[in-house]
């Protein structure tokens, strides 16, 4: 038996040729299992990452869906206080009285003479009734910085708004006396009454119905 013949392989089994046999160690079963698990994890992570990239670049998202153009989609009105406010239409403003129903007392609290008379004449042309005309009481004489101070009775809100629309930069105070007259005290900031067109525009804004606020929705 040749020296190159491994033990136990004598007899008719002989090694021929110029290459030596390579004896491999038996593969560990544990290594095979770990390799299979690692390959599965890598494949899983790669697939998940690919899905995320596709989702990002395609604009997809979870839990949010845009409503179709021109349609309501699946949006529902918001619940609670917001929905209640949106469902309730805002109250329309109270109608203003007519100028012929309002008596205006015009007082001059400035050093300029004749201002109360010219202002009262202009208000009369606009349909207001004119009551007392003269210098302001000592309480207000040269102490009104604005263009005018309007004083009215307890229920004079509408009348105060209508007279206040005739000039800019005024201050209105209701409940200052018991009668229904409106006291217009001209202050040092007064130059002239607003033009009739500007006064009509101001009155239109006071009587215009408020615009309803858009209702809140939840998609």
């Amino acid at each position: 038996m040749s020296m190159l013949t491994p033990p136990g392989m004598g007899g008719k089994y002989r090694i021929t040729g110029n290459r030596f046999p390579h004896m491999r160690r038996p593969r560990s079963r544990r290594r095979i299992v770990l390799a299979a698990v690692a390959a599965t994890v890598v494949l899983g992570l790669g697939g998940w990452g690919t899905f995320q990239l596709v989702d990002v670049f395609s604009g997809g998202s979870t839990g949010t869906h845009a409503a179709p153009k021109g349609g309501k989609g699946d949006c529902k009105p918001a619940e609670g206080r917001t929905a209640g406010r949106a469902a309730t239409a805002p109250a329309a403003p109270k109608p203003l009285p007519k100028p012929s129903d309002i008596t205006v007392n015009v007082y001059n609290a400035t050093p300029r003479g004749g201002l109360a008379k010219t202002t009262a004449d202009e208000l009369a042309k606009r349909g207001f009734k004119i009551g007392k005309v003269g210098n302001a009481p000592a309480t207000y004489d040269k102490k009104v910085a604005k263009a005018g101070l309007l004083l009215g009775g307890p229920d004079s809100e509408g009348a105060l708004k209508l007279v206040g629309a005739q000039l800019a930069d005024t201050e209105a105070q209701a409940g200052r006396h018991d009668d229904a007259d409106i006291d217009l005290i001209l202050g040092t900031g007064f130059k002239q009454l607003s033009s009739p067109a500007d006064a009509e525009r101001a009155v239109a804004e006071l009587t215009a119905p408020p615009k309803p606020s858009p209702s809140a929705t939840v998609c």
Side-chain angles (χ1 to χ4, degrees), residues 42-58:
V42 170
L43 289 176
L45 291 175
W48 181 81
T50 303
F51 173 78
Q52 292 296 320
L53 288 175
V54 172
D55 188 57
V56 168
F57 286 106
S58 62

Side-chain angles (χ1 to χ4, degrees), residues 118-208:
T118 56
T119 304
D121 292 342
E122 181 62 29
L123 289 174
K125 293 178 183 178
R126 301 184 184 188
F128 292 94
K129 292 180 179 179
I130 303 301
K132 299 176 183 179
V133 178
N135 294 326
T139 307
Y140 303 103
D141 190 28
K142 300 177 182 61
K143 297 178 183 178
V144 179
K146 290 181 175 293
L149 175 62
L150 296 169
L151 306 178
D155 299 322
S156 59
E157 182 180 354
L160 287 171
K161 288 182 179 180
L162 187 59
V163 177
Q166 310 305 312
L167 66 163
D169 191 26
T170 61
E171 179 183 352
Q173 299 178 5
R176 295 303 300 271
H177 49 70
D178 296 333
D179 55 49
D181 293 355
I182 300 297
D183 293 341
L184 171 57
I185 303 174
L186 303 176
T188 54
F190 178 81
K191 295 181 180 179
Q192 62 183 8
L193 293 176
S194 302
S195 66
D198 289 342
E200 289 180 6
R201 192 177 301 111
V203 172
E205 291 177 358
L206 291 173
T207 56

